[in-house]
Amino acid sequence: MRAGYAINYGKGHTSYGVATAIVRLCEAVRRDEQVVLPVSTLAHGECGVAGVYLSLPCVIGALGVSRVLAPDLDAEERAALRASAAVLQGIMDGLESH
């Protein structure tokens, strides 16, 4: 999952990294692959988080995200994910008040 860092280190930038990820997602949708890919999606209680968009493993097919998979996290990882979600929610709340 550190491909972007490796590309950036070798080339000084990641000119094709984002495009490659987009192509992979488009292929999964077009081919109805039902493949698991990490994408940003609205959490609905996974890992105790709801109402915030997070990068989570999701099943991707013709209709986009068909299922969100909750990663197997230990207590420390779960707490860190919840803390990250709280930061994101705080940022969104701040944007909505402007």
Side-chain angles (χ1 to χ4, degrees), residues 25-35 39-41 58-68:
L25 285 168
C26 290
E27 288 174 343
V29 170
R30 187 175 63 85
R31 296 177 184 157
D32 193 21
E33 291 181 6
Q34 300 301 307
V35 64
V39 296
S40 183
T41 190
C58 297
V59 177
I60 307 295
L63 299 176
V65 174
S66 62
R67 197 167 104 211
V68 179

Side-chain angles (χ1 to χ4, degrees), residues 7-19:
I7 294 168
N8 190 44
Y9 179 77
K11 292 175 54 181
H13 57 88
T14 57
S15 56
Y16 300 106
V18 173

Side-chain angles (χ1 to χ4, degrees), residues 41-54 56 65 68:
T41 190
L42 183 60
H44 294 282
E46 295 81 12
C47 304
V49 177
V52 177
Y53 284 84
L54 297 172
L56 294 168
V65 174
V68 179

